[in-house]
Amino acid sequence: MEEPVIIRFEHISKSYGEFCVLHDFNLEVMRGEFLTVIGSSGSGKTTVLKMVNGLIIPDGGKLFVDGQDISGTNLIELRRKIGYVIQNIGLFPHMTVWKNIAYVPSLLNKQDKERTKKAVARLMDVVGLSGDLMRRYPSELSGGQQQRVGIARALASNPYILLMDEPFGAVDEITRKMLQEEISRIHKALNVTTIFVTHDIREALKLGTRVLVMDAGRIEQLGDPDEIIHHPATDFVARLTQSRGLE
Ligand SMILES: Nc1ncnc2c1ncn2[C@@H]1O[C@H](COP(=O)(O)OP(=O)(O)O)[C@@H](O)[C@H]1O
Ligand SMILES: [Mg+2]
């Protein structure tokens, strides 16, 4: 049987000079879960996320991804199996939507163009992009459409982990709601382990099967949305959940 824990932080620490971002940080992410990470700005959310794909290396402790200590793994290989979506997604501006999404599949199926075509069509369908957009350039898309292309590109290598860092931070409220529905649907359909960072408590509670609340590099609470709402572990969590609907 596959080990249920897919990512394990063990006594992880990280400092910049005198400033300690994470101190004795411990976390287990379960295979297939949708973990949302919420906390104040500077609390270490992005640091935690970027450690999973080796963009930030811990100073101390151990980090296991799929049973492997990542200090001993090839980070390029690791990243190939991990999708990464950020706010301003960095689509290739001189490439069409089709080429942006086809980039990874065409590397994988060098000899088989039909296979790439099929993969791109499937990915566009998965993220809810209509086929007639495929010849457009990123600058000819709305913010929400660009974000969908970014998600399609992140899914193109069939990742077993999807990391998302405030992916819907730059889109309007209506688009954000649609993208939230979309990412929930994608998660259910593909069952890909997802870590989703947000600073919006409503988004965290809506999307997460579990929610991790952080403040100043520490875990304030880790629990399902119901526990977070009804049994806040600290004043910080209580204040956070009370702020729902006040914005
Ligand atoms: N390269 C860096 N050099 C110095 N300090 C950094 C660097 N990267 C992040 N930090 C600091 O580490 C803290 C945590 O950053 P981050 O994980 O990006 O927070 P969050 O994503 O929760 O807003 C912040 O106080 C930030 O200023
Ligand atoms: Mg951040």
Side-chain angles (χ1 to χ4, degrees):
M1 209 183 90
E2 272 187 325
E3 149 106 66
V5 173
I6 187 163
I7 301 164
R8 187 197 312 269
F9 289 79
E10 275 182 12
H11 311 295
I12 291 289
S13 59
K14 178 73 190 174
S15 296
Y16 292 105
E18 297 282 280
F19 181 73
C20 176
V21 184
L22 297 176
H23 171 67
D24 197 14
F25 183 86
N26 295 283
L27 174 69
E28 288 184 340
V29 180
M30 312 308 283
R31 209 175 279 280
E33 81 169 314
F34 196 124
L35 179 71
T36 51
V37 183
I38 170 110
S40 33
S41 176
S43 57
K45 305 182 296 296
T46 295
T47 303
V48 167
L49 207 67
K50 283 185 169 174
M51 280 180 175
V52 177
N53 61 4
L55 289 174
I56 294 180
I57 306 297
D59 298 332
K62 289 215 172 293
L63 175 52
F64 296 90
V65 177
D66 204 22
Q68 278 202 303
D69 181 343
I70 72 152
S71 68
T73 44
N74 178 333
L75 293 180
I76 309 282
E77 289 276 298
L78 179 78
R79 279 178 211 138
R80 203 164 285 158
K81 296 182 288 180
I82 298 180
Y84 185 44
V85 182
I86 55 178
Q87 191 168 306
N88 292 311
I89 184 65
L91 299 176
F92 304 123
H94 57 287
M95 287 187 193
T96 61
V97 165
W98 194 89
K99 285 222 163 129
N100 262 282
I101 301 174
Y103 189 76
V104 171
S106 60
L107 291 177
L108 298 176
N109 324 312
K110 275 205 180 84
Q111 313 302 339
D112 192 346
K113 294 215 165 98
E114 260 326 290
R115 196 157 164 186
T116 296
K117 272 191 195 160
K118 276 194 192 133
V120 175
R122 185 185 64 85
L123 286 162
M124 288 186 72
D125 192 43
V126 164
V127 300
L129 278 173
S130 75
D132 52 312
L133 295 175
M134 86 191 164
R135 284 186 196 83
R136 296 230 195 138
Y137 288 86
S139 63
E140 300 167 340
L141 300 176
S142 71
Q145 288 165 337
Q146 289 181 25
Q147 237 17 31
R148 287 173 197 260
V149 177
I151 297 168
R153 216 175 57 177
L155 293 172
S157 58
N158 263 327
Y160 65 150
I161 296 170
L162 186 58
L163 305 176
M164 307 184 86
D165 197 348
E166 307 202 21
F168 309 150
V171 299
D172 62 83
E173 197 53 34
I174 293 169
T175 307
R176 171 185 275 244
K177 288 228 163 72
M178 282 169 58
L179 289 171
Q180 287 171 349
E181 304 292 332
E182 209 72 70
I183 199 66
S184 276
R185 194 180 53 71
I186 291 169
H187 175 254
K188 285 198 189 86
L190 305 181
N191 211 27
V192 55
T193 306
T194 304
I195 309 183
F196 184 109
V197 169
T198 175
H199 60 252
D200 177 345
I201 181 66
R202 285 170 302 175
E203 185 167 72
L205 292 167
K206 179 175 170 183
L207 295 179
T209 49
R210 283 199 305 167
V211 180
L212 172 70
V213 184
M214 290 181 63
D215 186 36
R218 279 190 314 274
I219 295 181
E220 293 280 318
Q221 190 166 1
L222 173 61
D224 65 38
D226 232 39
E227 283 167 47
I228 302 283
I229 295 169
H230 299 294
H231 305 285
T234 64
D235 286 347
F236 180 86
V237 180
R239 279 199 304 277
L240 195 64
T241 56
Q242 279 156 16
S243 70
R244 276 181 307 151
L246 296 181
E247 293 149 53

